[in-house]
Amino acid sequence: MFDLDADRTLPDLTDEQQRAVAHDGSSLLIVAGAGTGKTTTLSARLAHLVANGVPPERIMLLTFSRRAATELLSRAEQWAGHDRLRGAWGGTFHAVANRLLRRYGRSVGIDPDFTLLDQGDQADLLALVRDELSSDSTPQRRRARKELLASALSRVVNTRQPLDVVLRQHHPWVADQADELRATYGAYIARKRERHLVDYDDLLSLWRALVQDPEAGPLVAGRFDHVLVDEYQDTNALQADVLAAMAAAGATITAVGDDAQAIYGFRGGTVRNILDFPTRFDAEVVALTRSHRSTPEVVTVANRIWDAASERHDKELVATRASGTRPSMVTAGDEHAEARGVCERLLESVERGIPLRRQAVLFRTGHHADLLEVELTVRRIPFVKFGGLKFLEAAHVKDLLALCRVAVNPRDDLAWFRVLQRIDGVGPGIARRVVTALDAADGSLGRVVDSGVVPPRSADEVAGLAAAVAAAADGDLATGERIDACRAWLDPHLDRFGDGAARRADLARLSELAAGTPDLETFLTELTLDPPASTGDLAGPPHLDDDVLTLSTIHSAKGGEWDIVHLIHAADGNLPSDLSTGDPEQLEEERRLLYVAVTRARDELHVHVPLRFHHHRNRLDDAHSTGQRSRFLTADVVDAMDEVVAVPGPAPAGDGSPSPLPRVRDAVAAADAELAALLG
């Protein structure tokens, strides 16, 4: 039997990590502070289990991204030995749930060949079902948007809270529409089951139903002796229920996480899971407190922010690195001065030899960086921003995937409804009639064309669509070839967006990616379970000489680290958000957001606080609000920082300085005159 030799194989494990890795018996909670080596610890524990006789096929590893699962398994294999982990179950919660339901779904009444809806498709189908239920007598009033319909339903499923509670707490303005929403949700669920569709939230709720079933549950959950969970602080109530059911069948649960980094309450995650884990799972707790990431000065600021938390696991980070630069709190005259000051410090750091790619600017909400983006552009400082439109949300990408989905599942009404509207002369009404006719025609679009439902001027294009779908449905073709059949039909429609070349390149990347999967069904499922955020994800990591600054929301930055971090808009009303100050739980989550932002810094931390926020961004008048530093930046925290006053913002109009209005008007008039001359 292979035994890990800690002196030879894992030389860098601390005493805390060794204790967690070698733990035996009860379930275990590893409270891992920022930069304390949680990935190393969890992967070493996985290797330790296999090395000490646990069959890998009886181990399940659950993460929140496929990349994290791959890294953990890869590290563990390096230590346990090549192929020693073959057979272990590893992946995201949703990917593992998908795998279980494909194998055991019939036990809960699910066809294993179901089609998986992504979150955008879920919203579209909810809107479609609601419109079908509506009548001419429906009162003319503001109705919930489809995104709200999906969000409320997802929160009900994942938090296990009743709909009335969810609406009252999170969407009070639609609380009086509860009956309409219930009817919509009921029809939506029926439509899914009828069409063999499963949405993203179904994966977890059906997994829960599977393992809680008195007959199937012990057989499924009993397959596993150990379940290892990464980032446990981000789990929701439904995921905790699934793990509890696995534990009830005899599995030992090892969870690693940090209550100080529980920042996904808006997605249904709850800090209560990690706080209550020791009691719920009768678990031992091991705290990892030795931070290998940040300097002692940065760690001190983080500890002082976290000391004020109302409820937490007892831990205090201890830096292992040598002393460095004290963090700074930079007070700026206004948002414009803040943006200029950040740019100047970025360029100064580049002159000191620190490339842009090792620096980041973080913020609570995307629009907080608007003025900074302008300033960066003017100064020609390249940047990439995280927190915007996801790749799979782009219209042309969704169109291609909808085509692929109808090729796989001709009963997918939603996908048909989307694709048909790409045809000239086919709007929502005609598309709905065609979808209804498809039911009677057993999914044969050719028969629908012959029936006369399609307008004559659109018949040829619909016939072409039928041929493309038939080609993509040919299972004898390679996956890439099946997607190419869909791309060929969609191609003429891309130019209507005005940037057809870029969109064709996106779709080509998808086709290349699909070439590595065994079939179209698998490709669609994997893409839904672990979607790329951008075409950059498809292209792989950037080259080392790509020197680009990172702009990111704090939520998107979690898990990252940089030599220098600038946190902007650290003023009350921004961080914490003014929408969160009325609820104690939400306010504590805002404190955790600040903690996450601070602990992304390795060497230098700069926290920027504007004193004024202009109501009009072009500052044609002096309407503004006065800012004050975040309530989380208490005297104790600021005492661990150097206070710096940035260059004040330009004086507003009305204090004796020339008004910009005449110049603006002259410039507009001159531009209009020049255009008139060009137009002749």
Side-chain angles (χ1 to χ4, degrees):
M1 182 184 298
F2 180 86
D3 288 321
L4 282 178
D5 181 347
D7 293 332
R8 178 177 59 84
T9 311
L10 302 171
D12 296 327
L13 290 185
T14 66
D15 292 342
E16 299 166 337
Q17 291 173 317
Q18 289 277 13
R19 184 176 155 213
V21 167
H23 173 77
D24 190 21
S26 67
S27 291
L28 173 68
L29 174 64
I30 305 171
V31 181
T36 58
K38 73 172 183 63
T39 301
T40 297
T41 305
L42 192 60
S43 54
R45 177 158 175 76
L46 177 56
H48 172 83
L49 291 172
V50 173
N52 284 276
V54 179
E57 63 272 12
R58 297 192 64 81
I59 299 175
M60 177 185 290
L61 172 67
L62 298 172
T63 65
F64 280 85
S65 73
R66 181 164 57 182
R67 183 175 300 176
T70 300
E71 181 182 359
L72 283 162
L73 289 168
S74 176
R75 284 202 199 184
E77 188 173 71
Q78 290 176 8
W79 294 323
H82 183 63
D83 283 345
R84 293 295 301 275
L85 292 176
R86 185 180 299 275
W89 285 53
T92 65
F93 274 89
H94 293 87
V96 170
N98 175 73
R99 184 177 173 186
L100 287 170
L101 291 172
R102 300 285 183 187
R103 184 172 298 185
Y104 303 108
R106 295 192 190 280
S107 298
V108 289
I110 292 295
D111 186 338
D113 293 328
F114 59 81
T115 296
L116 185 59
L117 299 177
D118 66 23
Q119 290 157 313
D121 295 328
Q122 178 190 31
D124 289 340
L125 184 55
L126 281 165
L128 182 64
V129 168
R130 181 179 62 178
D131 290 345
E132 291 175 352
L133 293 176
S134 299
S135 64
D136 294 338
S137 60
T138 301
Q140 295 300 312
R141 55 188 169 87
R142 182 186 179 194
R143 305 174 76 193
R145 294 185 305 132
K146 63 181 182 180
E147 292 81 7
L148 189 152
L149 290 175
S151 175
L153 178 59
S154 181
R155 188 171 286 275
V156 169
V157 172
N158 288 294
T159 66
R160 320 310 296 166
Q161 292 180 321
L163 177 61
D164 289 338
V165 174
V166 168
L167 294 181
R168 185 171 62 251
Q169 292 183 352
H170 301 280
H171 311 289
W173 72 266
V174 295
D176 63 336
Q177 301 177 31
D179 289 341
E180 179 185 348
L181 267 60
R182 287 191 186 91
T184 299
Y185 293 152
Y188 166 76
I189 293 169
R191 178 69 61 86
K192 284 190 303 180
R193 300 299 171 247
E194 178 187 350
R195 304 299 185 190
H196 303 291
L197 303 174
V198 169
D199 66 32
Y200 205 63
D201 296 323
D202 279 334
L203 292 173
L204 295 183
S205 60
L206 292 174
W207 182 5
R208 178 177 180 266
L210 183 63
V211 294
Q212 289 185 342
D213 182 83
E215 295 184 7
L219 297 177
V220 175
R223 290 181 50 118
F224 303 97
D225 296 328
H226 290 270
V227 179
L228 283 65
V229 189
D230 190 24
E231 303 284 11
Y232 188 73
Q233 78 281 345
D234 295 335
T235 55
N236 57 44
L238 179 55
Q239 289 164 325
D241 285 350
V242 168
L243 292 172
M246 299 290 287
T252 298
I253 311 295
T254 298
V256 62
D258 183 6
D259 51 319
Q261 298 185 64
I263 59 173
Y264 292 112
F266 69 96
R267 288 198 319 214
T270 172
V271 71
R272 293 259 40 108
N273 282 353
I274 192 167
L275 293 175
D276 298 340
F277 187 93
T279 302
R280 185 171 192 181
F281 293 91
D282 190 24
E284 184 175 337
V285 178
V286 174
L288 306 184
T289 60
R290 297 177 63 80
S291 174
H292 310 287
R293 174 187 299 159
S294 305
T295 62
E297 290 78 8
V298 173
V299 166
T300 297
V301 171
N303 282 335
R304 293 187 180 184
I305 291 170
W306 188 234
D307 282 345
S310 60
E311 188 176 6
R312 62 195 181 94
H313 283 294
D314 187 23
K315 70 177 187 301
E316 182 168 334
L317 295 182
V318 177
T320 61
R321 294 184 53 197
S323 184
T325 304
R326 276 171 60 91
S328 64
M329 190 183 78
V330 185
T331 303
D334 60 12
E335 302 155 286
H336 298 263
E338 177 187 63
R340 290 202 311 276
V342 169
C343 288
E344 288 164 5
R345 285 171 176 260
L346 291 169
L347 294 174
E348 288 172 2
S349 297
V350 170
E351 291 298 316
R352 290 191 283 122
I354 304 170
L356 289 172
R357 65 177 176 271
R358 285 161 47 190
Q359 304 183 59
V361 180
L362 308 183
F363 31 86
R364 171 64 177 84
T365 305
H367 69 80
H368 291 170
D370 287 353
L371 288 177
L372 176 61
E373 291 182 54
V374 173
E375 189 72 21
L376 290 168
T377 302
V378 168
R379 294 176 185 248
R380 298 185 179 181
I381 300 175
F383 64 89
V384 59
K385 185 176 181 181
F386 294 91
L389 182 69
K390 298 295 188 291
F391 180 66
L392 294 189
E393 294 172 2
H396 58 295
V397 176
K398 290 183 72 67
D399 289 343
L400 178 61
L401 296 181
L403 273 167
C404 294
R405 282 170 43 204
V406 296
V408 169
N409 180 7
R411 295 170 294 186
D412 192 336
D413 291 359
L414 179 63
W416 277 121
F417 188 69
R418 181 181 186 91
V419 170
L420 287 165
Q421 291 181 76
R422 293 295 165 262
I423 298 173
D424 288 338
V426 177
I430 294 176
R432 200 183 310 278
R433 290 199 295 273
V434 173
V435 169
T436 301
L438 278 167
D439 287 342
D442 295 326
S444 171
L445 189 57
R447 288 171 57 187
V448 171
V449 174
D450 295 338
S451 71
V453 175
V454 178
R457 68 188 182 95
S458 305
D460 288 344
E461 195 167 359
V462 174
L465 171 61
V469 171
D474 186 353
D476 293 332
L477 295 177
T479 308
E481 293 175 316
R482 295 173 70 180
I483 289 183
D484 287 343
C486 297
R487 286 174 56 205
W489 181 85
L490 188 60
D491 188 80
H493 301 271
L494 297 177
D495 289 319
R496 70 177 62 179
F497 296 106
D499 53 355
R503 294 173 187 264
R504 288 184 178 90
D506 287 347
L507 301 189
R509 293 297 301 161
L510 274 180
S511 185
E512 293 169 11
L513 186 67
T517 55
D519 53 61
L520 189 56
E521 295 85 345
T522 300
F523 173 71
L524 291 172
T525 298
E526 290 184 352
L527 204 61
T528 302
L529 291 172
D530 192 27
S534 66
T535 50
D537 281 2
L538 298 176
H543 297 294
L544 291 178
D545 58 355
D546 291 345
D547 195 21
V548 179
L549 173 72
T550 295
L551 303 184
S552 177
T553 62
I554 301 172
H555 287 101
S556 296
K558 184 173 172 293
E561 57 183 72
W562 294 268
D563 289 356
I564 299 176
V565 168
H566 294 267
L567 174 63
I568 63 174
H569 274 42
D572 240 42
N574 295 304
L575 184 63
S577 166
D578 53 7
L579 298 177
S580 302
T581 55
D583 184 296
E585 290 186 8
Q586 292 182 23
L587 190 60
E588 283 302 302
E589 182 162 316
E590 295 289 308
R591 185 193 309 279
R592 296 193 291 270
L593 270 173
L594 177 59
Y595 177 89
V596 168
V598 166
T599 53
R600 299 311 94 196
R602 286 191 287 255
D603 301 330
E604 295 182 27
L605 170 68
H606 306 286
V607 179
H608 300 261
V609 183
L611 294 180
R612 288 192 302 181
F613 295 89
H614 292 277
H615 297 171
H616 303 104
R617 290 298 178 88
N618 57 9
R619 296 185 307 140
L620 298 182
D621 57 42
D622 193 30
H624 70 275
S625 300
T626 302
Q628 60 181 4
R629 72 188 187 205
S630 170
R631 68 190 67 186
F632 304 136
L633 296 173
T634 61
D636 186 44
V637 175
V638 174
D639 187 54
M641 309 171 77
D642 289 334
E643 296 193 61
V644 179
V645 178
V647 177
D655 64 351
S657 59
S659 169
L661 285 175
R663 292 196 300 275
V664 171
R665 289 169 177 162
D666 290 347
V668 171
D672 288 345
E674 181 180 8
L675 178 58
L678 292 172
L679 294 174

